[in-house]
């Protein structure tokens, strides 16, 4: 049998570990890891030979010591490489959930690094020399941002909602409009969270219309909560009606049933000047009478992953006592990042210092100037200027924030001589660092709104390298 004799050509592990290249790998990465990966690689070759997939010259090549050691070295590199990798977001989607949502300011990132590599006074009152609360690090800033309200910050907004539902609605009915039984993405579905919390869903109204009277009729002695959900990622247009926070708050007051509002993106400042509609600052929702508002830390707020619960003192106190609060508590790195992010708001510098807001605030003109600079530099170095144009387009806020949250932008559009720029998109995505753009109608579109200005030079270099190929 040819295949049986082929199998015999695979070198033995004992011989391989004595070879120079494998011995070098062992010195760097240890005997156990290298030996295990060697065995796995040899098993793979064995299967390929047995299946007749590896023959002739390919086989001859694959069974050499140098080919095997190179394959194992590549395995080790992949296994031990840092991950997640830093990527360049040229999609123009600012809060891009798949790319990590918001990025931190250098100051906030610095606080994370400092808190990560040292013991910190996380739950320790240094003045008194006794136990403190991790929320104390955020308390003075939150008091300024939400005067008269209490707060709790947990791991993410999904956890914040779960905590509210479980803590205040378990075993009782929670009234929600059928128009707000939404899926936010990443398998966050309001009805599922409700059921998982032990609360009972009481749907009212219809998909497109829910009136105050629908809520009122559903109120019984079993009602535990009124829940309103920001339908952040879609919009019902036309014959539609939803009941606003103010009217629900009125019903909540007269009935004594707390009103919880999941405000999704949770911006702390007025984004009106950016013409991002549907997103009102959290303060306004509280002023309108919501008892508790929950929102994310890493969407329009521009901080780390976190979930805020802000509002009524007594309700928050009950939630802080809840065992679930311990289950989904915020870790010290996020507290450090969040505190630094919140200082930007307290100082009135959010649009300068919080990258998410700075990116959203950039005008199409500013972005166009950067795109034009990149275009000229690449054209000059490659002589391929005719392939590149700066064109009008739209950036998106993303992250399940306002569905109408589009900002006019200028895009660097690159045509490919063969007509389809997909291969260029792929090369940029697979290179180092990966550059993520999008192809539309055969053109590669890069939106510099979400590219850090400090990355422009690198983008030029990468484009020059790809266009020269
Ligand atoms: C994004 C979002 C959530 C989930 O928030 P996470 O911080 O991702 O857990 C919940 N509700 C709404 C309305 C959202 O937009």
């Amino acid at each position: 049998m040819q295949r049986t004799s082929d199998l015999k050509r695979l070198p033995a592990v004992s011989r391989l570990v004595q070879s120079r290249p494998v011995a070098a790998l062992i010195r760097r990465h240890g005997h156990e890891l290298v030996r295990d990966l060697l065995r796995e690689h040899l098993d793979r070759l064995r299967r390929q030979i047995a299946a007749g997939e590896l023959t002739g010259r390919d086989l001859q090549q694959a069974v050499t010591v140098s080919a095997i050691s190179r394959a194992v070295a590549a395995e080790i590199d992949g296994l031990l490489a840092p991950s997640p990798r830093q990527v360049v977001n040229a999609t123009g989607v600012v809060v891009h959930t798949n790319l990590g949502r918001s990025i931190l300011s250098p100051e906030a990132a610095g606080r994370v690094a400092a808190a990560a590599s040292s013991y910190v006074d996380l739950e320790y009152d240094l003045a008194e020399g006794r136990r403190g609360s991790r929320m104390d690090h955020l308390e003075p800033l939150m008091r300024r941002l939400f005067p008269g309200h209490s707060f709790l910050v947990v791991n993410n907004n999904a956890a914040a909602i779960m905590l509210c539902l479980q803590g205040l609605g378990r075993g009782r009915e929670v009234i929600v409009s059928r128009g707000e039984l939404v899926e936010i993405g990443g398998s966050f579905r309001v009805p599922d969270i409700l059921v998982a919390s032990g609360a009972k869903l009481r749907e009212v109204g219809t998909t497109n219309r829910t009136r105050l009277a629908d809520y009122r009729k559903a109120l019984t002695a079993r009602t535990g909560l009124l829940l309103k959900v920001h339908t952040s990622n879609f919009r019902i247009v036309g014959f539609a009606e939803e009941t606003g926070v103010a009217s629900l708050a009125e019903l909540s007051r007269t009935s004594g049933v707390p009103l919880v509002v999941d405000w999704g993106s949770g911006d702390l400042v007025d984004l009106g000047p950016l013409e991002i509609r549907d997103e009102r600052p959290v303060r306004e929702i509280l002023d309108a009478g919501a008892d508790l508002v929950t929102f994310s830390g890493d969407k329009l707020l521009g901080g780390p992953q976190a979930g805020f619960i802000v509002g009524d003192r007594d309700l928050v106190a009950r939630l802080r006592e809840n065992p679930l609060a311990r289950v989904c508590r915020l870790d010290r790195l996020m507290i450090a990042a969040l505190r630094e992010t919140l200082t930007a708001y307290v100082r009135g510098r959010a649009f300068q210092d919080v990258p998410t807001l700075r990116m959203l605030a950039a005008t199409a003109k500013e972005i166009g100037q950067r795109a034009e600079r990149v275009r000229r530099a690449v054209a000059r170095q490659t002589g391929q200027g005719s392939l590149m144009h700066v064109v009008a387009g739209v950036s998106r806020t993303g992250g399940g924030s306002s569905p109408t949250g589009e900002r006019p932008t200028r895009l660097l559009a690159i045509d490919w001589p063969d007509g389809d720029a997909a291969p260029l998109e792929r090369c940029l995505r697979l290179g180092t660092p990966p550059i993520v753009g999008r192809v539309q109608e055969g053109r590669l579109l890069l939106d510099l709104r979400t590219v850090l200005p400090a990355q422009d030079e690198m983008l030029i270099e990468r484009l020059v390298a790809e266009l020269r190929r």
Side-chain angles (χ1 to χ4, degrees), residues 355-375:
T356 294
L357 291 186
R358 200 172 50 225
M359 286 177 188
L360 282 172
T363 63
K365 187 169 168 222
E366 289 160 351
I367 295 164
Q369 282 164 351
R370 283 173 55 204
E372 188 56 40
R373 230 193 105 250
V374 172
R375 190 194 67 79

Side-chain angles (χ1 to χ4, degrees), residues 177-197:
S177 159
R178 288 198 171 90
E180 297 171 5
L181 291 173
V182 296
E183 169 168 328
I184 307 293
S187 69
F188 177 93
R189 287 179 158 180
V190 173
D192 296 346
I193 294 268
L194 242 156
V195 169
S197 74

Side-chain angles (χ1 to χ4, degrees), residues 175-178 202-206 208-219 226 241-243 248 251:
I175 304 180
V176 196
S177 159
R178 288 198 171 90
R202 180 76 173 81
E203 313 172 22
V204 295
T206 60
N208 56 334
R209 301 195 105 191
T210 304
R211 300 184 185 80
L212 188 59
D214 296 320
Y215 287 91
R216 194 180 294 124
K217 267 187 285 179
L219 275 172
L226 300 173
E241 178 174 342
E242 65 169 318
T243 307
L248 281 175
L251 183 62

